[in-house]
Amino acid sequence: MTLSAERIVLGVSGGIAAYKAPDLVRRLREAGAEVRVVLTQGARAFVGPLTFQAVSHQPVHTDLLDPAAEAGMGHLELARWADRVVIAPATADCLARLAAGLADDLLTTLCLATEAPITVCPAMNHVMWRAAATQDNLATLVQRGIDVIGPEEGSLAEGESGPGRLTEPAEVVRRLIAAPAAPRTAGHAPKSGPLAGRHVLITAGPTREAIDAVRFIANRSSGRMGFALAAAAQASGARVTLIAGPSTEPTPTNVERIDVETALEMHAATLARASASDLFIAAAAVADYRVADPVTHKLKNSREQQTLALVANPDILRDVAALPNGPFTLGFAAETEALEEHARHKLTAKGLDMIAANRVGDGMGFEVADNTLHVLWPDGAVTLGPATKGQIAHDLLTIAGEQLDGAG
Ligand code: CTP
């Protein structure tokens, strides 16, 4: 498949990765697309319009109120001309401006004025990428139906390492070809089912806590239970947001997925959305501790004994349960012994509405497809399984849905 005859507006915003954008133009054209480039003022500080003109074989658009450009192809014509708008690189500022709906330059105006699908390829410093403001802006854009490609992990321009690299142009083109331009559908609105009209927020998978540039502390969680719950909630009619730690599980259809890495990122992404949700399911295996002082370079092997200082991570589930007017909270408890006793203690101690306890160790729980869950709530209990995680997820949501309806 190719991008044959597809008309693409490529927006370039002002980050160091802008130097890769001419290569992206070349590859888009090789794949058959017709490309018109829009540069922000910031982008022009990195790469000049003449370069883009040479590779796109088209005039380059830079200003909103340039009489000459408006006489050629004005901003509204450009917005209508596009089959798809791709922004690469999309800086933190660019994402913020899109999320806020600003229209004070050509690129933001065009994005507001177009009905074409929009794909953003973020690239920025890793701290800026992880900032709660950036993640919130991204979630807003995803909710509005904007597609996101990247960023990738790796070394960044400043000599640091982390998520923030622009996805390589060849990969961007491959992903665009794999996801044909389709109209934007914001919100994946629920249709029918026991959870119709409900917004379900789920955490899933492990978290990773950096030790140095290449090493981290993680756990054996596959994310399978949380992903199965997301699919089951979606099938029950809910609008589902899945906040996922690193997991190879595929994203369930019509589920909004937000990828995070650390417990702090998962905490920020969850708390930003919890009040707006009806049911919160904490299926993630969140690291209870993080390294107090991770280093940004790779630690050398000194052959000497090492001690890692750890500090406690916030408890996401506890913080959601403590929200005034927060959602119905369903937590998980992975226990090796005294399962019901420990689970009931967590139910009370964390102020939850429901808890699902499973036994771990001896090959049970993590990384296995079959499961048994002991579900407890203040005045009831039931055992589910053994069954597949898909079946368990469905049954658990049915019980949670009943209690949620009972709670009003
Ligand atoms: N959880 C969370 N944030 C954390 C730690 C845990 O949201 N920082 C959630 C998990 O997703 C799970 C529940 O809390 O739903 C129980 O986690 P668990 O690790 O079993 O409980 P702890 O409170 O950490 O107790 P312990 O490890 O001592 O059993």
Side-chain angles (χ1 to χ4, degrees):
M1 276 206 291
T2 64
L3 296 170
S4 185
E6 199 171 296
R7 294 185 297 200
I8 295 180
V9 166
L10 176 69
V12 182
S13 64
I16 180 69
Y19 82 90
K20 292 183 179 172
D23 185 37
L24 179 56
V25 175
R26 186 177 64 77
R27 288 172 187 274
L28 288 169
R29 292 190 72 235
E30 277 172 9
E34 210 180 315
V35 185
R36 293 257 178 177
V37 177
V38 171
L39 297 180
T40 66
Q41 197 182 358
R44 277 175 275 161
F46 290 93
V47 189
L50 281 180
T51 304
F52 287 102
Q53 195 170 310
V55 287
S56 68
H57 296 215
Q58 296 289 344
V60 170
H61 307 260
T62 50
D63 294 308
L64 181 56
L65 301 172
D66 172 1
E70 289 290 305
M73 191 186 273
H75 65 278
L76 290 178
E77 272 171 284
L78 204 52
R80 277 185 227 115
W81 174 86
D83 293 321
R84 163 139 65 179
V85 176
V86 179
I87 305 180
T91 59
D93 179 67
C94 176
L95 298 177
R97 291 153 58 76
L98 292 176
L102 295 189
D104 61 351
D105 70 357
L106 179 57
L107 184 57
T108 49
T109 305
L110 191 137
C111 286
L112 271 190
T114 191
E115 287 178 334
I118 301 173
T119 302
V120 292
C121 306
M124 65 196 73
N125 166 276
H126 66 112
V127 182
M128 292 173 80
W129 168 250
R130 288 186 170 129
T134 303
Q135 291 300 315
D136 285 354
N137 290 330
L138 197 78
T140 302
L141 296 177
V142 169
Q143 237 157 15
R144 291 182 193 152
I146 289 179
D147 290 322
V148 183
I149 298 178
E152 312 300 326
E153 284 270 341
S155 57
L156 301 170
E158 308 82 1
E160 297 174 353
S161 183
R165 280 173 67 92
L166 181 69
T167 303
E168 286 304 320
E171 176 62 15
V172 172
V173 173
R174 200 190 62 71
R175 301 266 289 271
L176 293 175
I177 291 172
R184 265 175 283 154
T185 48
H188 307 304
K191 292 185 179 65
S192 59
L195 291 175
R198 301 290 197 179
H199 182 194
V200 178
L201 181 66
I202 301 173
T203 61
T207 61
R208 281 183 187 170
E209 309 299 327
I211 298 171
D212 67 7
V214 296
R215 303 177 179 95
F216 53 80
I217 299 173
N219 58 65
R220 292 184 190 281
S221 168
S222 65
R224 213 174 285 138
M225 188 71 223
F227 278 65
L229 281 162
Q234 203 283 329
S236 299
R239 181 160 78 79
V240 184
T241 303
L242 178 65
I243 299 179
S247 168
T248 54
E249 291 291 303
T251 311
T253 311
N254 281 345
V255 164
E256 180 198 6
R257 172 174 177 172
I258 295 160
D259 285 313
V260 294
E261 199 169 294
T262 65
L264 285 181
E265 286 168 11
M266 188 175 275
H267 184 265
T270 305
L271 269 290
R273 291 163 187 85
S275 295
S277 63
D278 300 296
L279 169 59
F280 172 61
I281 306 178
V286 186
D288 289 325
Y289 296 91
R290 66 179 180 278
V291 177
D293 202 8
V295 293
T296 49
H297 58 274
K298 185 180 167 212
L299 288 167
K300 284 288 170 204
N301 180 1
S302 66
R303 310 299 303 167
E304 279 164 25
Q305 185 176 330
Q306 300 284 333
T307 305
L308 273 180
L310 302 176
V311 291
N313 274 324
D315 189 318
I316 302 168
L317 179 57
R318 187 188 292 266
D319 288 354
V320 172
L323 287 173
N325 304 318
F328 185 96
T329 50
L330 166 54
F332 274 78
E335 309 289 350
T336 50
E337 63 209 343
L339 188 113
E340 297 224 9
E341 189 188 325
H342 285 159
R344 206 163 270 289
H345 173 74
K346 273 179 202 169
L347 181 75
T348 321
K350 294 197 187 192
L352 310 181
D353 297 299
M354 186 175 274
I355 194 154
N358 65 329
R359 205 175 286 285
V360 291
D362 295 336
M364 283 184 285
F366 289 156
E367 290 179 337
V368 294
D370 273 355
N371 220 344
T372 299
L373 277 188
H374 302 272
V375 188
L376 313 169
W377 57 99
D379 53 3
V382 69
T383 298
L384 304 177
T388 62
K389 286 194 177 176
Q391 183 63 47
I392 297 260
H394 175 267
D395 295 348
L396 181 58
L397 276 169
T398 306
I399 300 168
E402 279 167 15
Q403 295 294 316
L404 177 59
D405 288 339

